[in-house]
């Protein structure tokens, strides 16, 4: 998981840097016939991404970047030449040209003189923007994915999620949308969603300079170890985006806490298998007996298993005693704190501490999950 995250981050950085290299050095103004560029060529990362995702050769990718750069310069001039007749513009990748929509033929020659192709349309950009603004004021149902001004269609396009076109609430929205202005309806394969990760058991989170692991998703958040953070402390996910805050935390005496989830994150009833085993669905929290097998998922040492050795054990940490703990033969290391203990598909508890490591072995304690749920009045998110 960490390698995957690092790879995602590295690729994102390379692509961003590549985009900046190709487009960020664009001069403030450009001649109608640009002089030969003295800039460095586009980065290999950007060209490689274009070849992979757009199906281009390297030469085609370089030619497209050059054409897009020219179109960016032409668009500013063409918009000025069109004046109030401007209806929007778009880049035609097949021809490598900018097309500009205008509502009055009298402005066409002036726009063509900038190097753009012209298309006559009915609605200008201000009319289309006003229509979209009227749609923005409506309350859209879940079956409507998005809407935007499409200058090529010369309409406001409403994207409806596949299979929802005939929903009553979608039909009602579309009827109101058509009253707002020129509208076209298109189908989109899926509903939009954010791309922050769900709160998955075993995944890392960060608070201050501490990294711990998610225990189990509950409705509204997740449970974890109390020693990982104090009440109100901010929590950030594996990608360092904000998740929420510690809503309750107890340590020593106990070692449990819960964090609320928001800001584009959501909860899922899953514990990471880290490629060792398939990710595990959580279906309940029936407590396994002493001697039963149990496994642990954490952000440092990932997936390890052992047996339940004892229950209701008091652990005497240097910070103070913690009561009602369950002892296991499963190893753990720093950063695994708070992570999931699971037996089959039943949640057992959150990792507290232990001794040893996953090279030489050791023992680890967990705080039983049912005690945490009862203490804070939480409901486990189950499959």
């Amino acid at each position: 998981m960490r390698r995957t995250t690092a790879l995602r981050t590295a690729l994102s950085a390379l692509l961003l840097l590549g985009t900046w290299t190709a487009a960020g050095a664009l001069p403030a103004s450009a001649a109608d016939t640009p002089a030969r560029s003295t800039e460095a060529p586009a980065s290999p990362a950007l060209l490689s991404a274009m070849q992979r995702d757009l199906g281009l050769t390297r030469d085609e990718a370089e030619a497209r970047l050059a054409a897009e750069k020219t179109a960016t310069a032409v668009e500013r001039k063409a918009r000025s030449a069109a004046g109030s007749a401007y209806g929007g513009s778009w880049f035609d990748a097949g021809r490598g040209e900018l097309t500009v929509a205008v509502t009055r033929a009298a402005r066409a020659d002036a726009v063509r003189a900038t190097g753009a192709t012209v298309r006559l349309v009915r609605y200008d950009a201000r009319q289309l923007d006003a229509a979209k603004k009227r749609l923005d004021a409506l309350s859209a149902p879940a079956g409507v994915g998005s809407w935007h001004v499409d200058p090529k269609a010369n309409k406001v396009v409403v994207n409806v999620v596949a299979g929802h076109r005939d929903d009553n609430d979608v039909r009602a929205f579309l009827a109101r949308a058509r009253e707002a202005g020129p509208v076209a309806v298109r189908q989109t394969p899926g509903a939009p969603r954010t791309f922050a990760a769900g709160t998955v058991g075993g995944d890392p989170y960060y608070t201050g300079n501490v990294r711990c692991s998610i225990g189990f998703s509950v409705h509204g958040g997740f449970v974890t170890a109390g020693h990982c953070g104090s009440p109100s402390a901010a929590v950030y996910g594996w990608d360092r985006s904000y998740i929420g805050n510690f809503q309750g935390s107890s340590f020593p005496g106990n070692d449990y806490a819960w964090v609320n989830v928001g800001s584009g994150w959501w909860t899922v009833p899953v514990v990471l298998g880290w490629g060792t085993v398939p990710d595990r669905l959580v279906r309940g929290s029936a407590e396994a007996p002493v001697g039963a097998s149990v496994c642990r998922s954490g952000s440092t040492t990932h997936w390890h298993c052992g047996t339940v050795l004892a229950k209701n054990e008091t652990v005497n940490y240097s910070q103070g005693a913690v009561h009602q703990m369950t002892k296991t033969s499963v190893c753990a290391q720093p950063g695994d704190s708070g992570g999931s203990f699971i037996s089959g598909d039943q949640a057992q508890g959150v990792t507290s501490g232990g001794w040893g490591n996953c090279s030489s072995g050791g023992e680890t304690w967990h705080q039983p999950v049912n005690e945490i749920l009862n203490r804070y009045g939480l409901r486990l998110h189950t499959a």
Side-chain angles (χ1 to χ4, degrees):
M1 178 69 178
R2 285 182 294 169
R3 286 197 296 269
T4 302
T5 303
L7 179 60
R8 289 187 192 129
T9 304
L11 286 174
S12 297
L14 284 171
L15 289 173
L16 287 170
L17 288 170
T19 303
W20 183 89
T21 303
L26 184 70
S29 62
D32 290 339
T33 304
R36 182 173 178 176
S37 176
T38 58
E39 298 171 15
S43 72
L46 176 59
L47 293 173
S48 177
M50 293 179 71
Q51 290 173 249
R52 181 194 65 217
D53 298 334
L54 299 179
L56 305 175
T57 66
R58 182 182 179 91
D59 288 346
E60 288 170 339
E62 290 178 337
R64 179 159 177 170
L65 287 173
E68 289 170 349
K69 179 178 177 180
T70 299
T72 300
V74 167
E75 196 278 337
R76 291 192 293 265
K77 298 177 183 179
R79 182 167 190 155
S80 177
S84 61
Y86 179 74
S89 62
W90 59 94
F91 178 72
D92 187 322
R95 296 188 299 172
E97 295 177 345
L98 182 79
T99 300
V100 175
V102 296
T103 56
R104 297 194 300 276
R107 306 304 304 170
D109 287 344
V111 173
R112 289 192 186 97
T114 67
T117 298
V118 172
R119 179 182 293 182
L120 290 175
V121 295
R122 180 176 179 181
Y123 302 102
D124 63 43
R126 287 178 296 180
Q127 291 173 304
L128 294 173
D129 289 341
K132 179 187 175 294
K133 189 173 182 180
R134 288 190 285 272
L135 265 69
D136 289 343
L138 303 179
S139 178
V144 175
S146 62
W147 55 91
H148 67 280
V149 170
D150 184 340
K152 192 172 184 179
N154 198 227
K155 292 181 179 180
V156 178
V157 170
V158 179
N159 297 296
V160 175
V161 179
H164 291 269
R165 178 70 180 266
D166 294 327
D167 291 359
N168 289 335
D169 52 356
V170 171
R171 294 174 67 180
F173 177 86
L174 293 176
R176 296 184 66 189
R178 291 187 179 99
E179 294 174 357
V183 165
V185 180
R186 295 177 185 164
Q187 180 174 286
T188 184
R193 63 183 177 86
T194 61
F195 284 107
T199 53
V200 178
D203 232 351
Y205 69 88
Y206 301 85
T207 179
N209 61 352
V210 173
R211 172 173 61 83
C212 280
S213 301
I214 292 170
F216 296 94
S217 287
V218 297
H219 290 275
F222 66 85
V223 293
T224 187
H227 70 263
C228 290
S230 56
S232 79
V235 173
Y236 302 87
W238 63 267
D239 61 351
R240 303 302 180 118
S241 67
Y242 173 73
I243 296 178
N245 296 77
F246 279 87
Q247 299 298 303
S249 179
S250 178
F251 180 80
N254 306 290
D255 194 6
Y256 49 57
W258 82 280
V259 175
N260 70 310
V261 166
S263 302
W265 289 71
W266 65 96
T267 62
V268 289
V270 173
V271 171
L272 284 178
W274 296 100
T276 303
V277 298
D279 294 347
R280 310 295 293 176
L281 289 175
V282 179
R283 299 190 185 278
S285 57
E287 189 173 335
V290 171
S293 64
V294 66
C295 297
R296 180 193 54 73
S297 181
S299 61
T300 298
T301 58
H302 299 173
W303 185 269
H304 288 274
C305 300
T307 59
V308 177
L309 299 176
K311 295 186 179 182
N312 193 26
E313 186 160 85
T314 297
V315 181
N316 188 32
Y317 293 124
S318 61
Q319 300 92 332
V322 178
H323 308 282
Q324 297 179 319
M325 302 280 273
T326 296
K327 181 168 67 176
T328 75
S329 63
V330 186
C331 68
Q333 292 178 197
D336 289 329
S337 285
S340 326
F341 266 88
I342 188 168
S343 182
D345 57 7
Q346 300 296 304
Q348 298 299 303
V350 300
T351 305
S352 173
W355 60 265
N357 56 53
C358 289
S359 296
S360 59
E363 295 177 345
T364 303
W365 289 269
H366 69 72
Q367 185 86 69
V369 68
N370 287 329
E371 181 182 356
I372 309 171
L373 300 176
N374 292 334
R375 169 63 180 83
Y376 294 116
L378 302 170
R379 187 159 58 97
L380 187 68
H381 191 166
T382 57

